[in-house]
Amino acid sequence: MLYNSLSRKTEEFIPLNPQHVGLYVCGPTVYGDPHLGHARPAITFDILFRYLKHKGYQVRYVRNITDVGHLENDADEGEDKITKKARLEQLEPMEVAQYYTNRYHDAMDSMNVLRPSIEPHASGHIIEQIAMTQQIIDNGYAYISNGSVYFDVEKYNKDFPYGILSGRKLDDLMANTRTLDGQSDKRGPFDFALWKKAQKEHIMRWPSPWSDGFPGWHMECSAMSAKYLGEQFDIHGGGMDLLFPHHECEIAQRCASSGHRAAKYWVHNNMITIEGQKMGKSLGNFITLEQMFSGNHPKLTQGYSPMTIRFFILQAHYRSTLDFSNEALQASEKGFTRLMNGIAALQRVKPTDKTTIDISALDKKVAEAMDNDLNTPVVISTLFEWIKTFHLLEEGKESITAEDLTSLQKSVAVIVENILGLKNQKQNESHKELLDGVIGMILTERQHAKERKDWATSDAIRDRLKELGIAVKDSREGATWEFSN
Ligand code: ZN
């Protein structure tokens, strides 16, 4: 088995079931606005999801929503991130989780990130998490301490290698860590919580055999991947920042409960930096996606469209770090426009009676790049090489038959829209303008009907629009419209 590296060539990727692929990706903790750091894993695994489907696999893509148990310091101490936000804003914790889940969905939809097949919430899987914790206790790899349950890393390490994913060794880790101060409920410094007893003020709590409390953060992914993808599944993904300890703990939990590892391959995307620095609230370079789109942040000289951000992320390989700067984003904005113009030129090509170019070369090169560890930068540079050809074809300096032109146009559409998930937003914007104009015209007709007191026509127009999912609102200033749900 390969760890810490997906077989980087797809021909070496052998799914457990020939037709179906199970993919689990650690999703967001929903306590704040989605930011650049959320965009990269979402887009990386969107590409993997799209490409596996393109290759003909049925993919069950599970990406969780963390709405409980993620404590402030990422370990077992501090306040729950969502509870804290709820306390500060005087909201119900689930209100906070829902609000930021919606914000996350909106931002991802705008970047054309496909929604996963299943999006389970940690708080909706407490029973499964309690059951897996009990199994680990029964197998002797966890202990109960003051109502909390901890994973016994030292005991586990005697039977299974702890650190297999990150390449760390428990002995080395121990040597570099100060011993526990005696206040802790844990026996060893690397032991982690499977279940935490809730303090009096802790709102989100559930009954368990050990205490009223809540699951440890690492447990949700183990329990939910087991529930929806089974004892073993193909690919587990997430950001590189989750590799240790989160993913290491997930492996330990699944081995300790079932006796073997769950995920066959692991894929990690690298981090995003801003002008060479890590992004952080304290560094003043923390940029939410909404700020990115609007340009409303001191670090930004302008706003960038969701497609520019997507294109920018795809221009780097997912395992390389990616540095955001205005210059780099402006270059991506130009590049994306050049790509869209090239595709438009291909639509204008007039076919002739012979073909002077090798049209199969495009698909071949793209497949090679994607099969080689999802090399999207090579796919994009290949498209740019072809854009030159599209312009030559448009100018009549190269020629192509009608049949070849159709298949070339189809190839380009599949690569750009299906595999890379890029779409021409200008086109969408012009559709929106068109729709605005057409509905405006209808509403003017309705206004005329009202003026001549032809209520039957005015109501009929309103009702027909309603059937089409368009709600008309009448006010003193005239009628406006919006999409009804
Ligand atoms: Zn996870």
Side-chain angles (χ1 to χ4, degrees), residues 41-62:
I43 290 172
T44 298
F45 294 104
D46 185 50
I47 292 291
L48 180 57
F49 183 36
R50 284 168 180 275
Y51 193 58
L52 288 168
K53 289 203 291 184
H54 172 76
K55 298 279 277 185
Y57 292 112
Q58 277 193 32
V59 187
R60 183 179 294 166
Y61 175 17
V62 183

mmCIF file of all heavy atoms in Angstrom, residues 41-62:
data_model
loop_
_atom_site.group_PDB
_atom_site.id
_atom_site.type_symbol
_atom_site.label_atom_id
_atom_site.label_comp_id
_atom_site.label_asym_id
_atom_site.label_seq_id
_atom_site.Cartn_x
_atom_site.Cartn_y
_atom_site.Cartn_z
ATOM 1 N N PRO A 41 -8.315 23.072 -1.269
ATOM 2 C CA PRO A 41 -8.727 21.659 -1.201
ATOM 3 C C PRO A 41 -10.029 21.410 -1.961
ATOM 4 O O PRO A 41 -10.160 20.393 -2.647
ATOM 5 C CB PRO A 41 -8.905 21.390 0.295
ATOM 6 C CG PRO A 41 -8.933 22.727 0.964
ATOM 7 C CD PRO A 41 -8.198 23.675 0.067
ATOM 8 N N ALA A 42 -10.979 22.344 -1.864
ATOM 9 C CA ALA A 42 -12.265 22.125 -2.548
ATOM 10 C C ALA A 42 -12.043 21.952 -4.044
ATOM 11 O O ALA A 42 -12.603 21.043 -4.664
ATOM 12 C CB ALA A 42 -13.210 23.286 -2.272
ATOM 13 N N ILE A 43 -11.195 22.799 -4.627
ATOM 14 C CA ILE A 43 -10.958 22.734 -6.078
ATOM 15 C C ILE A 43 -10.092 21.526 -6.429
ATOM 16 O O ILE A 43 -10.344 20.829 -7.409
ATOM 17 C CB ILE A 43 -10.370 24.074 -6.586
ATOM 18 C CG1 ILE A 43 -11.471 25.143 -6.509
ATOM 19 C CG2 ILE A 43 -9.821 23.942 -8.005
ATOM 20 C CD1 ILE A 43 -11.027 26.561 -6.790
ATOM 21 N N THR A 44 -9.088 21.236 -5.604
ATOM 22 C CA THR A 44 -8.229 20.068 -5.866
ATOM 23 C C THR A 44 -9.062 18.782 -5.932
ATOM 24 O O THR A 44 -8.943 17.995 -6.872
ATOM 25 C CB THR A 44 -7.166 19.922 -4.756
ATOM 26 O OG1 THR A 44 -6.336 21.082 -4.769
ATOM 27 C CG2 THR A 44 -6.308 18.681 -4.957
ATOM 28 N N PHE A 45 -9.930 18.585 -4.922
ATOM 29 C CA PHE A 45 -10.676 17.327 -4.901
ATOM 30 C C PHE A 45 -11.850 17.355 -5.869
ATOM 31 O O PHE A 45 -12.331 16.302 -6.291
ATOM 32 C CB PHE A 45 -11.038 16.943 -3.464
ATOM 33 C CG PHE A 45 -9.793 16.641 -2.689
ATOM 34 C CD1 PHE A 45 -9.274 17.541 -1.774
ATOM 35 C CD2 PHE A 45 -9.068 15.493 -2.982
ATOM 36 C CE1 PHE A 45 -8.069 17.288 -1.119
ATOM 37 C CE2 PHE A 45 -7.857 15.232 -2.340
ATOM 38 C CZ PHE A 45 -7.360 16.130 -1.407
ATOM 39 N N ASP A 46 -12.266 18.551 -6.257
ATOM 40 C CA ASP A 46 -13.262 18.669 -7.323
ATOM 41 C C ASP A 46 -12.660 18.139 -8.628
ATOM 42 O O ASP A 46 -13.328 17.437 -9.396
ATOM 43 C CB ASP A 46 -13.669 20.146 -7.474
ATOM 44 C CG ASP A 46 -14.790 20.337 -8.484
ATOM 45 O OD1 ASP A 46 -15.809 19.617 -8.372
ATOM 46 O OD2 ASP A 46 -14.652 21.181 -9.384
ATOM 47 N N ILE A 47 -11.386 18.458 -8.857
ATOM 48 C CA ILE A 47 -10.697 17.982 -10.059
ATOM 49 C C ILE A 47 -10.568 16.453 -10.025
ATOM 50 O O ILE A 47 -10.828 15.769 -11.017
ATOM 51 C CB ILE A 47 -9.302 18.648 -10.187
ATOM 52 C CG1 ILE A 47 -9.441 20.150 -10.475
ATOM 53 C CG2 ILE A 47 -8.440 17.973 -11.249
ATOM 54 C CD1 ILE A 47 -9.986 20.498 -11.849
ATOM 55 N N LEU A 48 -10.206 15.924 -8.854
ATOM 56 C CA LEU A 48 -10.084 14.466 -8.735
ATOM 57 C C LEU A 48 -11.445 13.802 -8.974
ATOM 58 O O LEU A 48 -11.556 12.823 -9.710
ATOM 59 C CB LEU A 48 -9.525 14.110 -7.344
ATOM 60 C CG LEU A 48 -9.334 12.618 -7.035
ATOM 61 C CD1 LEU A 48 -8.419 11.946 -8.047
ATOM 62 C CD2 LEU A 48 -8.781 12.427 -5.623
ATOM 63 N N PHE A 49 -12.485 14.351 -8.346
ATOM 64 C CA PHE A 49 -13.859 13.845 -8.495
ATOM 65 C C PHE A 49 -14.277 13.880 -9.967
ATOM 66 O O PHE A 49 -14.741 12.887 -10.530
ATOM 67 C CB PHE A 49 -14.765 14.740 -7.640
ATOM 68 C CG PHE A 49 -16.220 14.366 -7.596
ATOM 69 C CD1 PHE A 49 -16.639 13.039 -7.614
ATOM 70 C CD2 PHE A 49 -17.202 15.363 -7.497
ATOM 71 C CE1 PHE A 49 -17.994 12.714 -7.541
ATOM 72 C CE2 PHE A 49 -18.553 15.051 -7.426
ATOM 73 C CZ PHE A 49 -18.951 13.725 -7.456
ATOM 74 N N ARG A 50 -14.067 15.022 -10.621
ATOM 75 C CA ARG A 50 -14.443 15.175 -12.024
ATOM 76 C C ARG A 50 -13.667 14.210 -12.916
ATOM 77 O O ARG A 50 -14.228 13.595 -13.817
ATOM 78 C CB ARG A 50 -14.146 16.609 -12.500
ATOM 79 C CG ARG A 50 -15.140 17.644 -12.024
ATOM 80 C CD ARG A 50 -14.596 19.052 -12.299
ATOM 81 N NE ARG A 50 -15.508 20.088 -11.858
ATOM 82 C CZ ARG A 50 -16.535 20.553 -12.590
ATOM 83 N NH1 ARG A 50 -16.738 20.089 -13.808
ATOM 84 N NH2 ARG A 50 -17.325 21.481 -12.102
ATOM 85 N N TYR A 51 -12.356 14.089 -12.629
ATOM 86 C CA TYR A 51 -11.536 13.264 -13.528
ATOM 87 C C TYR A 51 -11.863 11.780 -13.364
ATOM 88 O O TYR A 51 -11.921 11.041 -14.346
ATOM 89 C CB TYR A 51 -10.040 13.530 -13.317
ATOM 90 C CG TYR A 51 -9.219 12.924 -14.431
ATOM 91 C CD1 TYR A 51 -9.454 13.286 -15.758
ATOM 92 C CD2 TYR A 51 -8.250 11.960 -14.180
ATOM 93 C CE1 TYR A 51 -8.745 12.713 -16.806
ATOM 94 C CE2 TYR A 51 -7.528 11.384 -15.217
ATOM 95 C CZ TYR A 51 -7.776 11.764 -16.537
ATOM 96 O OH TYR A 51 -7.084 11.195 -17.564
ATOM 97 N N LEU A 52 -12.101 11.347 -12.132
ATOM 98 C CA LEU A 52 -12.483 9.941 -11.939
ATOM 99 C C LEU A 52 -13.795 9.656 -12.677
ATOM 100 O O LEU A 52 -13.941 8.605 -13.309
ATOM 101 C CB LEU A 52 -12.625 9.623 -10.448
ATOM 102 C CG LEU A 52 -11.320 9.540 -9.645
ATOM 103 C CD1 LEU A 52 -11.607 9.516 -8.147
ATOM 104 C CD2 LEU A 52 -10.502 8.306 -10.034
ATOM 105 N N LYS A 53 -14.729 10.595 -12.617
ATOM 106 C CA LYS A 53 -16.002 10.404 -13.327
ATOM 107 C C LYS A 53 -15.772 10.403 -14.840
ATOM 108 O O LYS A 53 -16.351 9.598 -15.560
ATOM 109 C CB LYS A 53 -17.000 11.506 -12.943
ATOM 110 C CG LYS A 53 -17.494 11.338 -11.515
ATOM 111 C CD LYS A 53 -18.836 12.007 -11.283
ATOM 112 C CE LYS A 53 -18.712 13.506 -11.347
ATOM 113 N NZ LYS A 53 -19.997 14.162 -11.027
ATOM 114 N N HIS A 54 -14.883 11.304 -15.275
ATOM 115 C CA HIS A 54 -14.541 11.359 -16.700
ATOM 116 C C HIS A 54 -13.958 10.025 -17.171
ATOM 117 O O HIS A 54 -14.206 9.579 -18.296
ATOM 118 C CB HIS A 54 -13.550 12.495 -16.947
ATOM 119 C CG HIS A 54 -12.992 12.528 -18.328
ATOM 120 N ND1 HIS A 54 -13.724 12.982 -19.415
ATOM 121 C CD2 HIS A 54 -11.787 12.134 -18.823
ATOM 122 C CE1 HIS A 54 -12.990 12.864 -20.510
ATOM 123 N NE2 HIS A 54 -11.810 12.360 -20.175
ATOM 124 N N LYS A 55 -13.181 9.370 -16.282
ATOM 125 C CA LYS A 55 -12.574 8.079 -16.630
ATOM 126 C C LYS A 55 -13.606 6.943 -16.604
ATOM 127 O O LYS A 55 -13.268 5.793 -16.848
ATOM 128 C CB LYS A 55 -11.461 7.723 -15.639
ATOM 129 C CG LYS A 55 -10.297 8.694 -15.617
ATOM 130 C CD LYS A 55 -9.295 8.467 -16.726
ATOM 131 C CE LYS A 55 -8.314 7.363 -16.339
ATOM 132 N NZ LYS A 55 -7.262 7.234 -17.381
ATOM 133 N N GLY A 56 -14.830 7.260 -16.236
ATOM 134 C CA GLY A 56 -15.892 6.259 -16.283
ATOM 135 C C GLY A 56 -16.223 5.606 -14.951
ATOM 136 O O GLY A 56 -17.044 4.691 -14.910
ATOM 137 N N TYR A 57 -15.589 6.059 -13.875
ATOM 138 C CA TYR A 57 -15.906 5.480 -12.570
ATOM 139 C C TYR A 57 -17.187 6.102 -12.013
ATOM 140 O O TYR A 57 -17.472 7.276 -12.254
ATOM 141 C CB TYR A 57 -14.795 5.770 -11.552
ATOM 142 C CG TYR A 57 -13.495 5.075 -11.841
ATOM 143 C CD1 TYR A 57 -12.364 5.805 -12.218
ATOM 144 C CD2 TYR A 57 -13.381 3.691 -11.721
ATOM 145 C CE1 TYR A 57 -11.153 5.185 -12.480
ATOM 146 C CE2 TYR A 57 -12.164 3.062 -11.984
ATOM 147 C CZ TYR A 57 -11.060 3.812 -12.361
ATOM 148 O OH TYR A 57 -9.879 3.199 -12.610
ATOM 149 N N GLN A 58 -17.900 5.311 -11.245
ATOM 150 C CA GLN A 58 -18.944 5.892 -10.410
ATOM 151 C C GLN A 58 -18.255 6.265 -9.113
ATOM 152 O O GLN A 58 -17.593 5.430 -8.513
ATOM 153 C CB GLN A 58 -20.017 4.856 -10.104
ATOM 154 C CG GLN A 58 -21.035 4.739 -11.211
ATOM 155 C CD GLN A 58 -22.238 3.955 -10.755
ATOM 156 O OE1 GLN A 58 -22.605 3.991 -9.589
ATOM 157 N NE2 GLN A 58 -22.824 3.238 -11.687
ATOM 158 N N VAL A 59 -18.388 7.496 -8.702
ATOM 159 C CA VAL A 59 -17.649 7.942 -7.523
ATOM 160 C C VAL A 59 -18.625 8.303 -6.411
ATOM 161 O O VAL A 59 -19.583 9.041 -6.641
ATOM 162 C CB VAL A 59 -16.793 9.190 -7.851
ATOM 163 C CG1 VAL A 59 -15.896 9.544 -6.660
ATOM 164 C CG2 VAL A 59 -15.948 8.954 -9.101
ATOM 165 N N ARG A 60 -18.391 7.751 -5.240
ATOM 166 C CA ARG A 60 -19.135 8.231 -4.077
ATOM 167 C C ARG A 60 -18.186 9.146 -3.307
ATOM 168 O O ARG A 60 -17.219 8.689 -2.708
ATOM 169 C CB ARG A 60 -19.610 7.090 -3.187
ATOM 170 C CG ARG A 60 -20.459 7.637 -2.015
ATOM 171 C CD ARG A 60 -20.980 6.558 -1.118
ATOM 172 N NE ARG A 60 -21.941 5.715 -1.811
ATOM 173 C CZ ARG A 60 -22.359 4.527 -1.360
ATOM 174 N NH1 ARG A 60 -21.898 4.065 -0.224
ATOM 175 N NH2 ARG A 60 -23.238 3.828 -2.032
ATOM 176 N N TYR A 61 -18.473 10.419 -3.412
ATOM 177 C CA TYR A 61 -17.599 11.439 -2.831
ATOM 178 C C TYR A 61 -18.238 11.946 -1.540
ATOM 179 O O TYR A 61 -19.295 12.570 -1.569
ATOM 180 C CB TYR A 61 -17.412 12.555 -3.861
ATOM 181 C CG TYR A 61 -16.641 13.780 -3.425
ATOM 182 C CD1 TYR A 61 -15.824 13.775 -2.299
ATOM 183 C CD2 TYR A 61 -16.711 14.946 -4.167
ATOM 184 C CE1 TYR A 61 -15.119 14.907 -1.924
ATOM 185 C CE2 TYR A 61 -15.995 16.088 -3.800
ATOM 186 C CZ TYR A 61 -15.214 16.055 -2.675
ATOM 187 O OH TYR A 61 -14.517 17.179 -2.311
ATOM 188 N N VAL A 62 -17.585 11.640 -0.431
ATOM 189 C CA VAL A 62 -18.098 12.050 0.873
ATOM 190 C C VAL A 62 -17.210 13.166 1.421
ATOM 191 O O VAL A 62 -15.988 12.995 1.513
ATOM 192 C CB VAL A 62 -18.105 10.864 1.873
ATOM 193 C CG1 VAL A 62 -18.709 11.290 3.212
ATOM 194 C CG2 VAL A 62 -18.874 9.683 1.292
#
